[in-house]
Amino acid sequence: MSEKLDKLKELQEELSKKVKVVPLSHFPRLVGGADVSYPEPSSALGVIVIYDLKTRKVLEEVFAVEKVSFPYIPGFLSFRETPVLKKAFVRLKNIPEVLMVDGQGILHPRGLGLASHLGLELSIPTIGVAKKPLLGQFEPPEDKPGAFSPIFVQGEIKGAVLRTRKGVKPVYVSPGHLIDLDSALKVVKASLSGYRIPEPLRKAHLLTQRLRRECCDYPGWGHRQQGRGENP
DNA sequence: GCGACAG
DNA sequence: ATCTTGTCGC
């Protein structure tokens, strides 16, 4: 009954070999934020927001709805959320230099968290920013914004616990694809704006929740651009 | 065997 | 993730 997962585990191990952990060549200006909500148990709503680090404003927002085709199983989140996020991604006019994803990167049992899997399929740099730990050994970081401590997995540093705000629970950062931990931390820190969640992801999450209730599904859906209030 | 376990 | 209001504290 669970040989299916064994098959997927092999796939993850195979794909993880293709993940590149390297420093980002240039500091990014356009940072994306990707998140998913569920208007109903059978459908997923994916959102990607493009945030301009220079102007500190949202440049573009896109979303997509897709039937859920996989259950939530810790360690296999990417098979559930990657489809709808890819669908939303192709609707972007502006391609982000790096995409922050709500979930783990290489800090995963088989080195292929949602951020890594998505980055691999999109061939763009991605960063995993999770609100809870999935695995690893670490010490709590100091209660000061920007403070962080490494997360070890079998003696190797795979990510970091980052304090984004004083007196608030930290977030778990790890490289997704085409980026390393140092670059990832720099980007996440530069994307903070006083809240626990970095701005690109926070904006994506807010939109994901707003659209979830605004009843969905009708022609003309899927695209939102700066300035204009609604859909083209 | 038991507990943990991203969203 | 989702079901859900008020309340305590910086």
Side-chain angles (χ1 to χ4, degrees):
Chain A
M1 186 70 172
S2 59
E3 313 71 36
K4 298 183 176 180
L5 292 185
D6 291 324
K7 195 71 175 181
L8 291 178
K9 284 183 182 179
E10 297 182 349
L11 175 57
Q12 293 181 316
E13 296 173 336
E14 206 55 48
L15 291 174
S16 69
K17 296 176 184 174
K18 300 182 179 179
V19 174
K20 303 299 180 187
V21 177
V22 297
L24 213 50
S25 55
H26 298 299
F27 196 78
R29 170 170 176 171
L30 297 188
V31 180
D35 191 28
V36 177
S37 69
Y38 298 85
E40 55 185 47
S42 61
S43 56
L45 193 169
V47 164
I48 293 182
V49 163
I50 300 302
Y51 186 71
D52 187 327
L53 274 184
K54 187 172 184 178
T55 64
R56 302 245 111 195
K57 306 272 282 184
V58 172
L59 176 65
E60 183 182 3
E61 313 173 310
V62 295
F63 62 89
V65 177
E66 185 87 334
K67 282 300 179 183
V68 168
S69 59
F70 198 87
Y72 168 66
I73 301 175
F76 299 86
L77 180 64
S78 66
F79 295 106
R80 178 178 171 79
E81 306 195 331
T82 277
V84 70
L85 288 178
K86 285 172 62 180
K87 187 172 179 178
F89 187 85
V90 298
R91 296 181 173 178
L92 285 170
K93 292 178 180 175
N94 301 281
I95 300 306
E97 291 161 75
V98 58
L99 178 64
M100 292 177 48
V101 184
D102 197 338
Q104 313 286 350
I106 62 172
L107 186 50
H108 174 279
R110 291 162 292 285
L112 196 77
L114 174 59
S116 297
H117 196 161
L118 188 59
L120 209 49
E121 304 227 321
L122 299 177
S123 292
I124 61 168
T126 56
I127 299 173
V129 179
K131 297 182 290 300
K132 298 177 185 176
L134 177 58
L135 57 81
Q137 278 294 279
F138 57 85
E139 292 301 315
E142 292 181 65
D143 190 21
K144 181 181 180 180
F148 68 91
S149 47
I151 297 179
F152 297 87
V153 174
Q154 298 178 59
E156 299 268 297
I157 295 179
K158 295 296 184 182
V161 203
L162 174 68
R163 185 78 63 185
T164 54
R165 193 184 157 171
K166 177 177 171 56
V168 173
K169 291 190 298 182
V171 295
Y172 303 79
V173 179
S174 62
H177 181 49
L178 300 176
I179 195 172
D180 63 6
L181 184 56
D182 290 318
S183 296
L185 284 172
K186 288 180 182 176
V187 174
V188 173
K189 288 184 182 181
S191 301
L192 298 178
S193 56
Y195 297 91
R196 175 162 92 120
I197 305 301
E199 207 57 7
L201 275 182
R202 198 178 77 87
K203 285 312 220 324
H205 184 260
L206 290 175
L207 182 54
T208 218
Q209 294 303 304
R210 184 152 68 75
L211 294 179
R212 177 167 67 78
R213 75 192 68 173
E214 280 182 14
C215 268
C216 19
D217 216 314
Y218 65 80
W221 253 58
H223 203 210
R224 295 185 154 234
Q225 185 89 357
Q226 56 189 125
R228 240 165 313 183
E230 294 309 315
N231 308 301

